[in-house]
Every structure is written in C-alpha cells, then in structure tokens.
Amino acid sequence: MAAAGLGVKATPFTYAAHALAAVAAALVLVWCVHFRGGLALEAQNKNLIFNVHPVLMLIGYIILGSEAIMIYKVFPNLNHDTAKLTHLILHAVATVLGAFGIYCAFKYHNDSGIANLYSLHSWLGIGTIALYAIQSMLCSQWVFGFVTFFLPGAAPGVRRGALPWHALFGLFVYVLALATAELGFLEKLTFLESGGLDKYGAEAFLVNFTALVVVLLGAFVVVAAVTPAHAEEPRGYAPIPVS
C-alpha cells in the first residue's frame, strides 16, 4: 500500500474521526432538542416522534458504525479475537439503534397521515438497512465472522482471502449510509424551508453544518480504514495471524 510506503499511519485519522463524531452527535442533539422541541415516543406533537429518527440513525449507523470500522486501527495491538468481538458488538448495537430509528420514522408518518417510502432518501435508507443487516448479522459480521474467524479449524488462507471482500463490502455499505444520511438532512431541511424556515437562519445553518461534519467524519473513517495501523501493515482492517 502506498500509504505504508510513505510511513502514513491510521492513528491521526482516527483521532480526527472521533472528534468529528462527538461534534456530529452534539449538533444533531442541539438541532432536535433545542430547535425542534425535543424527543418523544408518544406525543401530541408528532414532530417529537420524528426527532428520534435522525438522532438514532446518526449515533447508530454513522457513529457506532464508524467506531466498528476503526476498532482495529484505534487499538492496533488489541488481541485479534477481542477486536473482532468488539467489532461485532458495535455493529449489532448500531443495527438495533438504526432499526428503532426507522420504526420512529414510520410511526411519525403513520400517526401524521403521511405516505411512507416515497423519497429517494427512504428508498436508499431501506436498501442500506437491508445491506447493513446482511453485512452485520448474516454474512461476514455474524455467521461468517464467527465461523471463519473464531473457529480454530478455519484455514488461514480462507481468512486472508475473505478479509478484503468483507472490508470492501463493509466500506461500501458505510458510504451508502453516509449518502443516505446526507439525503435525509437535505430532505428535512427542504421541507422545513418550504414551511417558512429562514433559509439563512441559525437552524438552517446548523443542519447544513451537521451534514458537512458527517461528510468529513466519513472521509476520515474511510481513510483510516484503508491506511495501515503500522507503517509495515499491508492492507485491510488488521493483519490476520497465520495461526
């Protein structure tokens, strides 16, 4: 890998990603609590139910998904099985939070008499969730992960051959989640501005800035994922031990 030859390591990119993740979480909470009135699962004001959606989707699929991808680079000397288990748990929690966030969006639409699944954001969202669940629970992350990475009889050659595909598909789903989030910010802000929100007001600025932070977060996570934790590390999330 060219980055390894240049002596570039993943560590500084993970630091930047952690900082951006914290900023993104704070901004989406300020938006939904301060500007949009708060969070609720049951309320007369149905907008409070919707507000749970962006918070859980961002914290789940984007932030925890980022941490799951970077775990091997954040703790490069961590025992491989421990790192893999942490990777799986983070993806599982992200899947649960994301699923509940989707439920809140449907509940808001149904309680408000709004049609479901009519926008590109919703179409990509459903597709991303399906792919994320497959990646996290049925393919590399859970079934394939436990069988191939945890069973002592798994051949090292099979593990080495599977890792690049697992990493590639995981990054593809992660980038798709980022794109879906950006469409979500755009769609919600467009609706708000159509309803009279000041296009140059504080809330519009906050939403656009949050979306920009998410883009930067995703960029640093992807760079960290493809950059070796050690200058001599060849590729992938982490080196696979021979034995």
Side-chain angles (χ1 to χ4, degrees), residues 4-173:
L6 294 174
V8 177
K9 296 190 293 185
T11 302
F13 298 104
T14 64
Y15 290 160
H18 289 140
L20 290 168
V23 172
L27 289 175
V28 77
L29 285 170
V30 169
W31 177 36
C32 293
V33 174
H34 177 69
F35 286 98
R36 294 286 96 205
L39 311 171
L41 298 180
E42 295 289 344
Q44 289 295 111
N45 181 1
K46 303 305 179 183
N47 290 317
L48 302 186
I49 299 174
F50 175 83
N51 291 345
V52 180
H53 173 71
V55 171
L56 291 186
M57 302 311 291
L58 180 66
I59 293 176
Y61 283 122
I62 303 301
I63 294 179
L64 291 183
S66 298
E67 295 298 329
I69 289 172
M70 294 190 299
I71 186 66
Y72 299 103
K73 305 306 173 71
V74 174
F75 302 107
N77 298 318
L78 189 66
N79 174 270
H80 179 72
D81 287 350
T82 302
K84 184 66 182 178
L85 181 60
T86 305
H87 179 74
L88 296 171
I89 290 173
L90 286 171
H91 273 309
V93 175
T95 300
V96 172
L97 292 179
F100 193 72
I102 292 298
Y103 162 78
C104 291
F106 274 92
K107 179 175 174 57
Y108 163 72
H109 279 209
N110 293 335
D111 290 355
S112 304
I114 301 173
N116 290 303
L117 301 177
Y118 62 87
S119 67
L120 179 60
H121 168 66
S122 61
W123 294 355
L124 281 180
I126 293 299
T128 301
I129 290 163
L131 291 175
Y132 198 98
I134 291 172
Q135 169 75 348
S136 299
M137 299 177 66
L138 300 178
C139 291
S140 305
Q141 299 288 2
W142 281 107
V143 174
F144 186 76
F146 277 110
V147 171
T148 305
F149 287 91
F150 284 138
L151 290 184
V158 174
R159 289 184 288 174
R160 287 198 185 94
L163 182 65
W165 291 103
H166 165 57
L168 179 63
F169 186 67
L171 286 179
F172 168 73
V173 175

Side-chain angles (χ1 to χ4, degrees), residues 169-183:
F169 186 67
L171 286 179
F172 168 73
V173 175
Y174 177 72
V175 171
L176 193 59
L178 291 170
T180 304
E182 295 302 304
L183 284 174

